[in-house]
Amino acid sequence: MLATLLRDDAVRVASPVVELDVAARASADTAPQSVRLLGIDALQVGTVAPALLPRVDAAQDRLSVLDPDAAFANDAALRGLNLRIGDRLELRGPAGWQRLRIAGTLVLGGS
């Protein structure tokens, strides 16, 4: 679908976004909460949706946007899950719980 869209002369730029509602928790000891997860192409999203650009925290590796074990959360998600930059986050997927490191934030709001 993306390839077809990019061949259209009316389309200057496009970037895929995958959106899911998933269970998230700070650790195995905490109750899971439902959060909206967005999967983006961090190298392309800035030209299409700048609010989705991940902001790498100064204490994290600047290449964290390319790290498959890194996640970026908005302020509402950080507060709701009681997490800080550098903390671990667990997301439940088809293969069970996956641990990710919070490497920065997003401008995009949420609740």
Side-chain angles (χ1 to χ4, degrees):
M1 182 174 169
L2 183 62
T4 301
L5 185 63
L6 289 170
R7 283 193 296 271
D8 187 323
D9 291 336
V11 176
R12 296 179 83 186
V13 64
S15 182
V17 175
V18 176
E19 185 174 343
L20 301 166
D21 288 322
V22 299
R25 64 187 184 191
S27 69
D29 310 12
T30 59
Q33 299 179 36
S34 180
V35 297
R36 176 147 303 148
L37 174 72
L38 299 177
I40 63 163
D41 178 340
L43 300 178
Q44 293 289 329
V45 75
T47 58
V48 178
L52 294 178
L53 265 173
R55 294 185 297 182
V56 178
D57 186 78
Q60 302 293 314
D61 183 333
R62 66 184 176 90
L63 296 178
S64 290
V65 294
L66 304 176
D67 183 348
D69 292 324
F72 296 82
N74 64 20
D75 288 337
L78 291 173
R79 279 191 312 273
L81 293 164
N82 196 28
L83 292 170
R84 293 189 168 94
I85 305 300
D87 287 349
R88 294 287 176 175
L89 164 72
E90 295 184 356
L91 300 176
R92 186 169 47 211
W97 290 96
Q98 173 73 31
R99 289 180 54 106
L100 303 170
R101 174 182 44 83
I102 303 291
T105 59
L106 298 170
V107 174
L108 184 68
S111 54

